[in-house]
Amino acid sequence: MRNSIYTSAAVLFIVFLFIFLMSRNDVKTEQILSLKTVDITAQTAPNFKILYDNDLVNIAYGSGSWLKPNPDILTKEEIKKRIEKSVEEVSSYKNIAHFFRPGFGHIPFWKSDVYSAKKHYESWESKTGNTASSWGKYMMDDKNYGDLLKVFVDEAQKNNQSPFVSLLLNDIHHGYQNKINELNISKEKWSEKSEWISNFIIENKSYLNDSTNFKSGLNWSNIEVRNLRLEFIKEICENYEIDGIELDFMRYPRFFTDNVPVTERIRIISDFLTEVDSLLNDPELRPDNYPKNKKRFLVIRIPAQEKMFNELGLDYSKFKKNGVDMVILSTYFFSMQQGIDFKFLRNSIPNLPIYYELHYITLGYSIDSGLPYYGRIPATEAQLYTTANLVYKNGFDGISLYNFQYYKNTFNQNVPFSIIDSLADKSWVSNFKPQWYFRSEGWRDEVLPEIFNSKKTVNYKLDTIFQENLKPQRGEFRLFFDSDIEGENWRVFINTKELSKVDCIFDPNQKTFEQFTYFNSKFLCYDIQRNLIENGTNNIKLSYLPSEANVEKKLIYYDLILKEYF
């Protein structure tokens, strides 16, 4: 009996002692537990107004091909300096997330254990007898350089910017000058740009959507294709202090062969997004100095054309459940303003911040057109402001700037960095004038180009939105064709009223079509009178009456400039 009492007393003593010790260490215990169960979902949602794309290769300006810059001009030290400058030049702007693209998605421009860029370039030089580009030379020198991503992250943190990594999920830049059936025949068959072809693709040609064509892209039905991307993402999360990752579905937007059912495509992409979110927010996959409980954001760059969602396996109803935090709606590499159903897109993705992508050009002929600047037309500030106002009025949260640096690279113009803060200000853009509306031969546009032949009539739409205190008084409506239009007869109506043809007044301060004198003869211009333009949808009717039989004209662009208000 006595032993039983002693035993009971001992047990009670141990229990009370344990409770006492736990009460003395409750703060420390909670801290330890918090490291194991990080409540990342409760973190604040992203509040960025501008997403800024930095594709890396823009820094190769003036050093030869951007795909293969001359290492004697773009030296390793110069690469480092230019990356740092590319961060510094946007360091003064507010609410900006900086997206850096370390390579084209196949050759990692960071220190990778998954696929070593150093070994890749050394093997390529040995196999082809060619000399690697500036990028290759930088990555092979892993003692002094060899990590472009670290340069960017360090500089972004130094300048108080939020660093993101942008990954091209299915890039095909390597396919433009390389034919699969010519490789391994002789050294001469390897183009200099074949340095962008990873051994993973060469060894797994069956993973391509078309095994005879590099430009067909990889088929994501193959789990090995998806796993390679996940392994890249895992090591980036583990080794770099990034605030998020952008998954770029636009380069190249073909992920499946035609025989893969839509349901299977959606399952594959949805599962992939969920896995990426898990990697991003795994507290164990963090550099030592990066907070364990800090939310890392998952961003997707997808088409603004909803008709492509099934093609790519994108189900917008599952985005939030899959861990997506921000959505960029893209029109590939042109700015498109008309023909995009902004209201539908906003209503379809109601619970996530969505951003509309703006580019440095509104129009571009084929790269083989023979025209200066490839026939590309730079976007004016007024066009960008007007487009931003349209998307904001439809409930979008911000703007994404893509290839913005190429104002300089393509047109030798100063990059208009000063507009960044203004684009982020919804009130400011709603009051900006002149407003400049446009529709161009954009990516997968079903309206333009339009071939006109004898006595053809076509109807178009043009959506506008302006403040009640900014009713347009005068303006100019313009048509732009791919060939000279002088001497041809056209009738143009807006909202049933026929317009009067006028001489085109090109304002050199706008720095758009007017800087290219060879385009002037391709324009037709019409006067816009007071109270003609509706606040909303405007109906346009064009009729062509050719001066000679069997003469065809191709319309590739039209715009409306509202210059005066009352």
Side-chain angles (χ1 to χ4, degrees):
M1 181 72 175
R2 182 178 298 177
N3 290 339
S4 176
I5 294 174
Y6 287 158
T7 302
S8 299
V11 169
L12 287 172
F13 175 78
I14 292 172
V15 170
F16 282 112
L17 179 62
F18 177 77
I19 293 173
F20 173 76
L21 291 174
M22 288 295 291
S23 69
R24 293 287 303 272
N25 291 279
D26 59 340
V27 174
K28 183 176 181 181
T29 302
E30 288 177 7
Q31 289 174 339
I32 294 172
L33 290 174
S34 70
L35 296 180
K36 296 180 179 179
T37 57
V38 182
D39 186 13
I40 290 186
T41 58
Q43 300 268 330
T44 305
N47 63 349
F48 304 110
K49 302 300 181 185
I50 299 291
L51 309 182
Y52 180 78
D53 168 79
N54 181 348
D55 74 347
L56 172 65
V57 295
N58 70 85
I59 71 169
Y61 177 73
S63 56
S65 164
W66 51 275
L67 274 173
K68 189 173 176 60
N70 187 333
D72 293 330
I73 300 174
L74 189 62
T75 62
K76 288 176 281 191
E77 184 58 29
E78 184 66 16
I79 287 176
K80 183 174 184 294
K81 288 179 180 178
R82 291 191 186 187
I83 292 176
E84 291 170 346
K85 182 181 178 182
S86 74
V87 176
E88 292 170 3
E89 61 192 3
V90 292
S91 61
S92 63
Y93 301 105
K94 305 172 184 176
N95 298 319
I96 186 172
H98 199 141
F99 289 47
F100 182 73
R101 193 175 314 133
F104 287 111
H106 299 299
I107 316 299
F109 280 2
W110 60 88
K111 287 193 175 180
S112 173
D113 293 327
V114 177
Y115 187 89
S116 166
K118 173 182 170 63
K119 293 179 181 178
H120 168 84
Y121 283 107
E122 289 175 344
S123 171
W124 180 83
E125 284 193 335
S126 174
K127 179 165 47 181
T128 67
N130 292 321
T131 300
S133 67
S134 300
W135 314 120
K137 293 300 184 186
Y138 192 99
M139 295 307 298
M140 284 191 285
D141 186 357
D142 62 348
K143 181 179 180 180
N144 301 303
Y145 299 96
D147 194 336
L148 291 160
L149 179 54
K150 186 177 188 305
V151 176
F152 164 74
V153 172
D154 289 349
E155 192 64 21
Q157 292 179 332
K158 176 183 172 182
N159 286 274
N160 297 313
Q161 290 186 26
S162 188
F164 282 66
V165 171
S166 175
L167 290 180
L168 304 184
L169 294 182
N170 207 6
D171 191 64
I172 60 169
H173 277 96
H174 60 274
Y176 285 102
Q177 293 191 4
N178 300 286
K179 297 179 179 179
I180 291 178
N181 59 0
E182 291 183 349
L183 299 185
N184 297 325
I185 296 175
S186 66
K187 291 182 178 181
E188 290 72 22
K189 293 295 183 181
W190 289 76
S191 80
E192 291 187 339
K193 293 178 183 177
S194 62
E195 67 174 66
W196 290 100
I197 307 176
S198 78
N199 290 328
F200 176 82
I201 296 176
I202 293 174
E203 294 167 2
N204 298 284
K205 292 189 284 290
S206 63
Y207 292 167
L208 293 164
N209 287 305
D210 176 352
S211 62
T212 67
N213 185 0
F214 280 129
K215 291 189 290 184
S216 66
L218 290 166
N219 182 350
W220 276 53
S221 294
N222 297 290
I223 192 172
E224 293 83 0
V225 172
R226 307 194 299 273
N227 283 345
L228 179 62
R229 294 292 176 271
L230 291 171
E231 289 173 12
F232 283 159
I233 291 168
K234 180 180 179 181
E235 66 180 4
I236 290 173
C237 290
E238 194 168 17
N239 297 313
Y240 297 90
E241 297 183 20
I242 59 166
D243 290 341
I245 281 182
E246 177 196 47
L247 302 178
D248 189 345
F249 285 86
M250 300 299 293
R251 292 291 180 94
Y252 167 70
R254 184 186 177 191
F255 282 63
F256 301 98
T257 53
D258 294 341
N259 63 340
V260 180
V262 171
T263 53
E264 179 65 4
R265 300 180 191 199
I266 290 174
R267 182 196 66 78
I268 288 171
I269 296 302
S270 296
D271 288 350
F272 179 77
L273 293 174
T274 301
E275 290 182 84
V276 173
D277 178 60
S278 297
L279 293 173
L280 276 171
N281 291 300
D282 183 340
E284 302 305 320
L285 295 179
R286 305 282 170 114
D288 291 339
N289 296 325
Y290 196 87
K292 299 288 186 182
N293 64 342
K294 183 177 179 178
K295 168 71 175 174
R296 279 172 157 173
F297 298 114
L298 173 56
V299 188
I300 57 174
R301 179 179 181 241
I302 62 174
Q305 292 91 336
E306 181 268 342
K307 62 189 176 185
M308 288 192 62
F309 284 11
N310 282 345
E311 184 178 329
L312 295 177
L314 298 167
D315 184 348
Y316 50 76
S317 70
K318 297 181 178 180
F319 286 168
K320 191 173 183 65
K321 180 182 177 181
N322 296 149
V324 174
D325 298 296
M326 293 181 274
V327 178
I328 299 171
L329 293 161
S330 167
T331 53
Y332 207 35
F333 66 95
F334 300 101
S335 281
M336 292 177 66
Q337 183 193 83
Q338 303 290 320
I340 305 297
D341 195 338
F342 298 124
K343 187 175 294 294
F344 171 84
L345 291 166
R346 174 69 281 181
N347 292 338
S348 299
I349 313 173
N351 301 316
L352 291 172
I354 58 175
Y355 299 78
Y356 191 62
E357 189 172 272
L358 296 178
H359 300 248
Y360 74 110
I361 57 176
T362 58
L363 181 68
Y365 290 98
S366 166
I367 197 169
D368 299 319
S369 64
L371 294 173
Y373 312 109
Y374 310 128
R376 293 178 178 176
I377 309 300
T380 68
E381 294 181 16
Q383 288 173 328
L384 297 178
Y385 289 143
T386 303
T387 308
N389 185 45
L390 269 173
V391 300
Y392 285 145
K393 295 299 185 185
N394 281 282
F396 281 49
D397 298 277
I399 296 296
S400 176
L401 295 175
Y402 193 85
N403 279 355
F404 204 55
Q405 307 85 355
Y406 287 89
Y407 277 101
K408 178 179 180 181
N409 294 26
T410 304
F411 305 110
N412 201 28
Q413 291 184 8
N414 290 328
V415 181
F417 292 117
S418 59
I419 75 172
I420 291 178
D421 280 343
S422 297
L423 282 172
D425 189 331
K426 297 180 181 181
S427 176
W428 192 93
V429 297
S430 70
N431 288 287
F432 176 82
K433 54 184 184 294
Q435 290 186 315
W436 195 324
Y437 298 93
F438 66 95
R439 182 155 196 164
S440 60
E441 179 189 353
W443 182 60
R444 295 206 179 187
D445 187 68
E446 295 178 347
V447 173
L448 295 179
E450 182 76 53
I451 303 295
F452 284 84
N453 48 33
S454 180
K455 298 181 181 180
K456 183 174 182 177
T457 297
V458 179
N459 295 298
Y460 298 109
K461 304 284 187 183
L462 188 73
D463 291 327
T464 62
I465 189 164
F466 41 81
Q467 301 282 57
E468 288 302 315
N469 63 334
L470 285 179
K471 293 181 178 178
Q473 181 175 6
R474 294 292 300 276
E476 188 174 44
F477 181 71
R478 310 192 302 181
L479 304 172
F480 182 47
F481 300 84
D482 76 337
S483 60
D484 289 354
I485 202 70
E486 293 176 347
E488 302 295 342
N489 298 314
W490 293 79
R491 297 187 70 187
V492 180
F493 300 81
I494 291 186
N495 298 327
T496 72
K497 180 176 176 58
E498 186 165 7
L499 305 185
S500 299
K501 186 174 180 293
V502 295
D503 292 334
C504 295
I505 302 173
F506 295 117
D507 179 359
N509 294 323
Q510 292 295 348
K511 293 183 179 178
T512 178
F513 303 132
E514 299 77 54
Q515 67 176 315
F516 307 122
T517 57
Y518 55 83
F519 283 155
N520 290 3
S521 61
K522 297 175 175 60
F523 274 104
L524 289 176
C525 300
Y526 297 85
D527 187 40
I528 296 294
Q529 297 291 327
R530 179 172 178 166
N531 291 329
L532 178 58
I533 302 302
E534 300 287 345
N535 194 357
T537 299
N538 294 267
N539 297 299
I540 301 167
K541 184 171 76 171
L542 305 182
S543 294
Y544 178 41
L545 305 171
S547 57
E548 300 177 13
N550 302 320
V551 175
E552 292 186 342
K553 294 294 177 182
K554 182 191 289 187
L555 177 69
I556 57 176
Y557 172 100
Y558 59 82
D559 69 9
L560 172 66
I561 310 171
L562 301 177
K563 300 178 179 179
E564 300 176 20
Y565 301 80
F566 66 94

